[in-house]
Amino acid sequence: MAREKSSTQVIPDVATIPQHIAIIMDGNGRWARQRLLPRIAGHRKGSEAVRTLVESGLQCGIPYLTLFAFSSENWRRPADEVSLLMQLFMHMLEKEVQQLHEAGVRLRVIGDRSPLGNKLQVLIEEAERLTLANQALTLTLAVNYGGRWDILQAVNAWNKAHPTSAHPMTEADLQTHLCLGDLPEPDLFIRTGGEQRISNFLLWQLAYTEFYFTETLWPDFDRVALDQAIHSYQSRERRFGRTSEQCSALGS
């Protein structure tokens, strides 16, 4: 499998449309509370927003979408809410993967799967296998994922593969074992719901990503909201350590 190079080592190409968008989908609970509904109603509405996002991504020609579906810290939430979230995820895998497949979407799941249960793990594996060859868009769901976990598991994987190495690990070595090591780093990071933090999401991969924060709650994040985020991205100058004059001279 080909591995992408880090933006701290090589200056990546900059496209008008972001090639990889990573999103923290925040605000489901508040959306429900504003409507005097249970939190699960917000999560269900949020899953509809994911469908809209994928459709918009296909229309815009965005090759990669990575969504923070469930963090390693979300286990701290009430047990009934965690259970309902897992049921929603299972429902998506059972009912919607075929539609993703027909649309040419490749589905990937990153994170520690061991606590998810056998049935859910099997559904994930089946969905990934079914959609493996699809190329219209790669949809990555981060489930039981944490950025620190990702770096730590990459270090451990490299050490296991090179137990007697006399050479120190390089950035390229680590990149090889990161969950998204074979994808270009995100061009644009979006967080909905008004919070302005990355919450242990893709800590390594967001080194040179453009950040966009919006007050829009995730269930209300539609094509118009996505276009606004992309428009903000298009107004940025992505220098990757260079000066503005250097970028202008190179036409980037």
Side-chain angles (χ1 to χ4, degrees):
M1 181 181 293
R3 291 284 155 178
E4 291 287 333
K5 294 183 179 180
S6 168
S7 58
T8 58
Q9 301 296 307
V10 176
I11 298 172
D13 294 331
V14 177
T16 302
I17 298 297
Q19 298 298 285
H20 187 176
I21 299 179
I23 304 179
I24 292 182
M25 307 175 290
D26 198 8
N28 290 343
R30 278 168 287 163
W31 184 92
R33 187 165 61 248
Q34 289 174 2
R35 291 158 178 78
L36 303 179
L37 297 171
R39 288 179 62 86
I40 190 60
H43 292 308
R44 289 195 179 101
K45 188 67 175 178
S47 66
E48 296 177 13
V50 171
R51 296 188 201 106
T52 300
L53 176 71
V54 172
E55 292 170 0
S56 299
L58 288 166
Q59 293 166 3
C60 292
I62 298 169
Y64 305 102
L65 290 172
T66 299
L67 310 182
F68 208 2
F70 190 86
S71 79
S72 50
E73 291 75 50
N74 284 154
W75 295 105
R76 301 168 182 170
R77 294 189 175 189
D80 58 344
E81 181 174 349
V82 170
S83 176
L84 287 168
L85 285 170
M86 292 301 163
Q87 290 177 30
L88 274 177
F89 184 34
M90 193 174 300
H91 175 80
M92 185 276 287
L93 292 170
E94 291 176 330
K95 305 297 183 181
E96 300 188 29
V97 168
Q98 185 61 39
Q99 295 178 8
L100 292 173
H101 180 50
E102 292 172 359
V105 175
R106 179 186 178 188
L107 180 66
R108 295 176 53 166
V109 177
I110 59 172
D112 181 5
R113 302 182 187 183
S114 58
L116 300 182
N118 290 335
K119 182 177 180 180
L120 191 48
Q121 291 183 53
V122 169
L123 287 172
I124 291 170
E125 292 168 2
E126 290 176 346
E128 290 182 327
R129 186 163 51 249
L130 174 66
T131 63
L132 180 62
N134 294 341
Q135 298 180 1
L137 182 152
T138 296
L139 174 64
T140 303
L141 301 180
V143 180
N144 194 31
Y145 173 90
R148 291 183 176 179
W149 167 87
D150 194 3
I151 295 170
L152 182 60
Q153 67 84 27
V155 171
N156 289 335
W158 186 86
N159 285 334
K160 183 177 180 180
H162 304 84
T164 61
S165 176
H167 302 287
M169 181 190 299
T170 66
E171 187 171 314
D173 292 332
L174 185 66
Q175 181 91 0
T176 298
H177 296 285
L178 290 168
C179 287
L180 297 181
D182 59 327
L183 302 186
E185 294 174 2
D187 300 298
L188 176 62
F189 163 82
I190 300 171
R191 180 164 186 157
T192 63
E195 302 290 353
Q196 298 188 19
R197 56 178 178 269
I198 61 175
S199 298
N200 197 21
F201 184 43
L202 301 179
L203 297 181
W204 180 277
Q205 296 87 345
L206 296 180
Y208 269 101
T209 299
E210 300 297 327
F211 285 18
Y212 178 82
F213 300 103
T214 175
E215 296 290 332
T216 302
L217 302 177
W218 176 248
D220 293 326
F221 193 85
D222 55 14
R223 174 61 186 270
V224 172
L226 177 63
D227 287 344
Q228 290 172 343
I230 293 174
H231 180 73
S232 175
Y233 166 83
Q234 292 170 337
S235 71
R236 317 283 180 90
E237 181 181 59
R238 306 195 70 197
R239 296 192 295 272
F240 300 100
R242 300 166 296 174
T243 66
S244 293
E245 290 76 15
Q246 286 177 299
C247 294
S248 297
L250 294 171
S252 60

